[in-house]
Amino acid sequence: MRVLVLAAGLGKRMKSRKPKVLHEILGKPMISWVLDTVRAAGVHEVGVVLGHGAEMVRGILDENVRIFIQSEQLGTAHAVMCAREFVDPDDEIMVLYGDVPLLRYTTLLSLVKVHEEEGNDVTLLSAFLNDPTGYGRVLRDTSGKVQGIVEEVDASPEQRNIREINTGIYVFKGSFLLEALGRIKNDNVQGEYYLTDAVSMASKVGAVVVEDVQEILGVNTRKQLAMVAKIARMRILEALMENGVTVEDPDTTYIGPEVRIGCDTIIKPMTIILGKTTIGENCVIGPFTTMVNCVCGNNVRVVRSECAGAVIEDDASVGPFSRLREGSYVCNGAKVGNYVEMKKARLGRNSKAQHLTYLGDAEVGEDANIGAGTITCNYDGYKKHRTIIEDGAFIGSNVSLVAPVRIGKGAIVGAGSVITEDVSPDALALGRARQIEKPGWAKKYREEREKDGHK
Ligand code: UD1
Ligand code: CA
């Protein structure tokens, strides 16, 4: 079995500068939804027909997807002709659209099953719609056998009353398709080469009626994009809930298709979890939290925070109001509190950075305490440098650690210090002006001001 995805159309009604199939649903381009479904159905020989913005689309496709270019969009059969070399006379080929992202792989499998069992030349996926406007209609004879498909613009008024429509998804016998492509002409109202004409040329046609018509929704406008995205989102949330995840408010929760979440984890409202994020069991994520491409262990708490490319181990907590950027690593039981930013930084087991801190290009050992307002000064205007804080070190409040610098095991750094040199283990380091005191100075100052008539 091979699959050819048609995606050369302009998508004019999107009013976009980028190709339609690159518009994203939950952070994933529309065409990738289709290709992932194909992969889930176990098909690995995949071709894509591209036209408008082909180079942009190529950029997001796997190397093993074969690309065919249709530089002029002369119809669905013409698109397949552009990929003629992909059609193997000894193999079956399924045709899908790049702008129909909600198809389930199980539907593809049942289409293939019927096609093979019946030994058809072509088996199409049809649907019964209350409003079939715009679609090609399926014509059947009195015995129910499919005769062909008529496009709406070419249909008679009686044919337009038919509610069974062509979804545009088919499986063909390769040898039959090659032969049919040679015979399809463009003598119709639109002057296009219709792939649907192949159906009337076949001697053995089958049809599978899709049960859930949402699956075949196509995206032609931004409004449809939003509608399809909502359906995709609800499907994901329902599957999570079925697997023991609490989603407190599905209306405000956005979880991507590749996210994995363990049992008894609670997702609070206004939370967005995308990319290849994995979250363990018994966590509480949100409210007001975004996580992209993160890995969380079990019993993790993240509240009102932004995390991207971060690892948060078991029993650790983050937030509120913190930001973990690429390469943040929060070890078991560690605590990242409020207004903390981390980037390429590791916070060791049970260590704490509770308030107003920046840890960039830093490595913090176990059981260390990072005081409020600590900043790792990692950038000298040209290069980034590392800060190392060893196990058990205590960094007082409002300390600037000018990297490269190392704070030894168990050392204490006094509040307000600017540390430019390494600190030995167990030492106390102070890098601040010594305090001076002038007895009575303030009182004298006030008396002099008031004598002059100032208040
Ligand atoms: C087609 C079917 C119609 C069916 C409908 C379902 C034909 C003649 N008609 O309608 O029976 O009900 O799909 O949506 O096949 N494409 C190309 N190159 C082209 C033309 C189209 O790649 O030259 C791609 C488009 O990008 C799109 C898909 O094929 O993804 C369908 O094209 P569209 O124009 O929407 O379909 P219709 O021809 O209107
Ligand atoms: Ca269409």
Side-chain angles (χ1 to χ4, degrees):
M1 175 67 54
R2 22 187 88 198
V3 168
L4 184 65
V5 179
L6 308 189
L10 176 57
K12 217 196 306 206
R13 284 184 284 159
M14 295 294 283
K15 306 238 169 80
S16 176
R17 291 186 211 291
K18 72 177 179 190
K20 173 159 77 176
V21 294
L22 287 186
H23 284 263
E24 292 182 356
I25 295 169
L26 293 167
K28 182 158 119 176
M30 218 186 302
I31 193 166
S32 303
W33 284 76
V34 177
L35 295 173
D36 286 352
T37 304
V38 167
R39 214 163 296 135
V43 181
H44 299 287
E45 281 209 68
V46 183
V48 174
V49 181
L50 301 177
H52 291 277
E55 286 317 304
M56 268 192 257
V57 182
R58 187 193 297 269
I60 66 129
L61 297 178
D62 273 11
E63 295 154 16
N64 46 19
V65 172
R66 289 182 58 189
I67 294 170
F68 303 92
I69 303 293
Q70 183 194 25
S71 28
E72 243 189 314
Q73 280 71 58
L74 304 177
T76 44
H78 182 257
V80 178
M81 287 173 199
C82 293
R84 196 190 295 260
E85 59 187 282
F86 184 67
V87 186
D88 179 347
D90 300 320
D91 198 359
E92 310 301 302
I93 181 162
M94 185 185 297
V95 174
L96 301 176
Y97 295 161
D99 57 4
V100 180
L102 294 179
L103 264 182
R104 290 193 171 88
Y105 78 93
T106 45
T107 303
L108 303 185
L109 292 180
S110 51
L111 186 66
V112 171
K113 188 159 170 269
V114 170
H115 179 78
E116 285 173 351
E117 278 172 4
E118 296 180 356
N120 294 327
D121 291 327
V122 54
T123 310
L124 60 99
L125 188 69
S126 76
F128 282 89
L129 299 185
N130 290 330
D131 177 12
T133 311
Y135 288 94
R137 310 294 204 280
V138 178
L139 307 177
R140 294 183 185 256
D141 66 13
T142 43
S143 70
K145 265 181 58 193
V146 176
Q147 300 278 281
I149 291 159
V150 60
E151 290 306 289
E152 173 155 293
V153 286
D154 302 303
S156 67
E158 298 82 64
Q159 288 172 330
R160 286 187 193 186
N161 286 334
I162 297 171
R163 283 180 46 237
E164 187 180 10
I165 60 102
N166 171 33
T167 64
I169 291 152
Y170 328 78
V171 183
F172 293 97
K173 201 173 264 175
S175 53
F176 164 73
L177 181 60
L178 285 170
E179 187 241 330
L181 286 177
R183 289 164 54 198
I184 293 175
K185 303 224 162 45
N186 63 348
D187 50 359
N188 50 55
V189 175
Q190 305 188 85
E192 282 187 7
Y193 295 91
Y194 289 170
L195 188 56
T196 45
D197 285 355
V199 176
S200 48
M201 292 174 186
S203 37
K204 231 172 164 288
V205 185
V208 171
V209 180
V210 70
E211 280 167 37
D212 177 2
V213 295
Q214 287 189 332
E215 281 189 51
I216 59 113
L217 287 174
V219 175
N220 298 302
T221 63
R222 305 253 183 183
K223 198 171 158 187
Q224 288 169 338
L225 179 67
M227 232 173 68
V228 161
K230 186 165 187 178
I231 296 168
R233 192 160 71 77
M234 287 306 162
R235 274 193 194 171
I236 291 167
L237 296 177
E238 278 162 23
L240 286 169
M241 291 188 268
E242 259 162 45
N243 287 324
V245 175
T246 294
V247 178
E248 284 189 358
D249 184 16
D251 286 341
T252 63
T253 304
Y254 295 76
I255 298 182
E258 284 157 43
V259 173
R260 299 290 167 261
I261 304 181
C263 142
D264 286 325
T265 283
I266 299 172
I267 310 297
K268 296 259 174 193
M270 314 283 178
T271 292
I272 301 168
I273 308 174
L274 297 176
K276 291 196 191 304
T277 297
T278 309
I279 296 171
E281 298 186 1
N282 224 30
C283 299
V284 182
I285 310 294
F288 300 99
T289 291
T290 302
M291 304 192 91
V292 183
N293 295 326
C294 291
V295 177
C296 290
N298 300 321
N299 310 310
V300 166
R301 180 85 180 88
V302 182
V303 55
R304 278 185 193 258
S305 292
E306 294 272 332
C307 308
V311 177
I312 306 168
E313 291 187 342
D314 294 356
D315 307 305
S317 66
V318 175
F321 304 108
S322 281
R323 176 164 183 223
L324 304 191
R325 293 161 57 197
E326 206 60 40
S328 297
Y329 203 110
V330 181
C331 297
N332 284 51
K335 286 192 164 58
V336 174
N338 36 242
Y339 303 105
V340 174
E341 177 180 350
M342 288 176 71
K343 185 218 73 175
K344 284 193 194 154
R346 187 183 177 92
L347 186 62
R349 181 186 285 259
N350 296 327
S351 288
K352 293 174 185 159
Q354 297 272 47
H355 333 268
L356 303 155
T357 286
Y358 175 56
L359 295 173
D361 302 293
E363 201 170 308
V364 179
E366 301 181 3
D367 297 306
N369 187 80
I370 311 297
T374 297
I375 305 290
T376 55
C377 311
N378 58 330
Y379 187 46
D380 60 13
Y382 296 91
K383 279 180 79 174
K384 303 284 171 66
H385 303 280
R386 293 186 66 73
T387 299
I388 295 169
I389 298 168
E390 294 181 351
D391 295 349
F394 182 97
I395 313 296
S397 293
N398 211 33
V399 166
S400 299
L401 299 166
V402 183
V405 73
R406 174 187 289 265
I407 311 300
K409 202 168 166 178
I412 296 178
V413 175
S417 294
V418 176
I419 299 296
T420 55
E421 277 160 46
D422 289 357
V423 175
S424 318
D426 292 323
L428 166 68
L430 299 167
R432 63 193 188 203
R434 181 174 288 277
Q435 187 169 323
I436 58 166
E437 183 164 316
K438 300 185 179 180
W441 189 95
K443 189 167 179 242
K444 210 170 125 213
Y445 168 75
R446 278 192 300 272
E447 283 165 1
E448 277 173 15
R449 302 283 287 188
E450 281 162 28
K451 192 171 64 199
D452 295 345
H454 295 291
K455 272 273 172 195

